[in-house]
Amino acid sequence: MSFHSRRVISGFLLLAVCAWSHGCAKPEQPAKNQATATQSAAARPTLVFMTDFGTANDAVAICKAVMVNIAPDVRIMDITHQVTPFSIEEGARFLSGVTPYYPAGTVFVVVIDPGVGTNRKAVVVKTKKGQYFVLPDNGLITPVIDRDGLDSAREIANSSWMIGDAISSTFHGRDIFSPVGAHLAAGWDYTLVGPTVQQLVRLTPKTANITDKGIEGDIIALDDPFGSLITDIPGDEFKKLGYSLGDRVTVLLNKKPFTLPYTKTFMDVPVGDPLLYVDSRGRVGLALNERNFSVVNKITPPGAIFIPKKGSALKGK
């Protein structure tokens, strides 16, 4: 065999070996990259944001810009920015409903703050679940700590955690709550934010009253945009009144009688018909199938509701 032939064959064998070795190695590299990407995504801090600012102005966008400037890798999740203006009770209800679905270490920034610029405290609250809440000390956190327990709370007093020296008297969402939330998401030690708060402001929400005649409660909200009525009557307490699925129930709404069936879901009645059901949060609700109960019946919260025990008359209520 000539020297030239030997060189061609050797070159061919070398290329074949290289191709074989690279072919074997290819599956490993994407797998490694995928694992790295998964770890990186898991390591990204999560900040959950809720306000009553609405979406008709630039307030929410400004707050998010502050957050991202401090913590570029943060994932910002929104609960809503359509909380009824100044409604601490509604904000507390939304916050309590969302937090169970987030893990320990999540940072919540909540700004429903009718007392902005007054002597009300701005605080960071840590629950026993290991979640952090940056919010005004006005009761917003009450239902969360009632359920999850309070680990500790601190007043936001360290100016290095804020946006700067010139703090607005009307936009603490930008100047205090957003930067503090972002610093927490970036891993700052929250014990340095300020002194311990011994006692937080608490909400004292009304609760349903159970009597020997039935349950007296309140219409606390609408399930918008559908217009279903949300009450403060626990579904478990309603079930103790003796009703079974399919029974017709006569209730008093603002002292006016309404009769409607107790069903499991909306399509258990014809379109346009009313129903009483236990909603996804475990509370009694009133709805119209594919219609707006509130609009049709001209009922909006706040309001009163009474549900009698099965077989009891409504006389005297």
Side-chain angles (χ1 to χ4, degrees):
M1 183 181 293
S2 69
F3 175 75
H4 177 73
S5 298
R6 285 197 299 271
R7 284 190 62 187
V8 170
I9 293 172
S10 299
F12 174 79
L13 290 173
L14 179 60
L15 288 173
V17 170
C18 289
W20 176 83
S21 63
H22 280 280
C24 292
K26 280 183 180 178
E28 297 177 3
Q29 189 62 32
K32 181 179 179 181
N33 289 343
Q34 185 176 6
T36 302
T38 301
Q39 291 170 1
S40 177
R44 290 180 64 195
T46 299
L47 191 156
V48 183
F49 193 27
M50 181 173 72
T51 73
D52 61 353
F53 294 164
T55 55
N57 58 56
D58 58 0
V60 171
I62 289 172
C63 289
K64 289 184 176 182
V66 170
M67 295 170 184
V68 172
N69 192 48
I70 293 169
D73 293 332
V74 69
R75 292 183 296 182
I76 303 174
M77 314 289 285
D78 296 296
I79 299 176
T80 180
H81 298 289
Q82 300 293 139
V83 174
T84 300
F86 321 118
S87 180
I88 297 167
E89 292 80 5
E90 184 176 288
R93 179 167 57 85
F94 287 159
L95 184 63
S96 178
V98 166
T99 55
Y101 300 96
Y102 283 94
T106 302
V107 177
F108 295 85
V109 175
V110 184
V111 191
I112 295 94
D113 193 17
V116 62
T118 68
N119 61 358
R120 70 94 184 93
K121 294 182 177 70
V123 295
V124 176
V125 177
K126 181 181 180 182
T127 65
K128 289 185 177 178
K129 185 178 177 180
Q131 296 175 332
Y132 296 88
F133 298 81
V134 184
L135 32 64
D137 182 22
N138 59 12
L140 277 166
I141 195 65
T142 300
V144 171
I145 59 176
D146 282 349
R147 182 191 61 220
D148 297 341
L150 173 65
D151 177 273
S152 55
R154 291 183 174 269
E155 182 177 3
I156 300 170
N158 188 338
S159 61
S160 66
W161 285 63
M162 304 177 195
I163 199 170
D165 295 331
I167 302 299
S168 165
S169 61
T170 59
F171 199 1
H172 287 185
R174 175 195 64 191
D175 298 345
I176 297 176
F177 299 117
S178 292
V180 169
H183 284 126
L184 284 173
W188 286 28
D189 180 359
Y190 100 106
T191 63
L192 303 179
V193 75
T196 299
V197 175
Q198 298 297 333
Q199 182 65 51
L200 294 169
V201 172
R202 290 187 55 83
L203 292 179
T204 53
K206 295 174 66 177
T207 57
N209 180 36
I210 303 168
T211 71
D212 58 351
K213 296 180 180 180
I215 300 179
E216 299 173 346
D218 288 287
I219 302 162
I220 60 173
L222 297 180
D223 185 11
D224 278 336
F226 307 107
S228 304
L229 305 188
I230 300 172
T231 77
D232 63 354
I233 297 176
D236 290 342
E237 296 299 330
F238 164 74
K239 293 172 183 178
K240 294 177 183 177
L241 298 179
Y243 296 101
S244 300
L245 286 170
D247 286 347
R248 295 186 67 78
V249 184
T250 299
V251 306
L252 290 179
L253 295 178
N254 295 332
K255 299 185 178 180
K256 180 181 177 180
F258 284 78
T259 300
L260 59 177
Y262 167 37
T263 70
K264 186 176 181 180
T265 191
F266 308 105
M267 289 301 289
D268 289 341
V269 301
V271 171
D273 277 14
L275 62 140
L276 181 151
Y277 65 108
V278 177
D279 68 19
S280 62
R281 314 293 176 89
R283 299 169 299 216
V284 169
L286 304 176
L288 293 178
N289 183 19
E290 296 189 23
R291 299 290 186 272
N292 189 306
F293 191 103
S294 174
V295 170
V296 170
N297 295 292
K298 297 180 173 59
I299 298 175
T300 57
I305 179 172
F306 173 75
I307 307 178
K309 287 185 177 179
K310 184 176 180 177
S312 297
L314 285 172
K315 292 181 180 180
K317 280 304 301 173

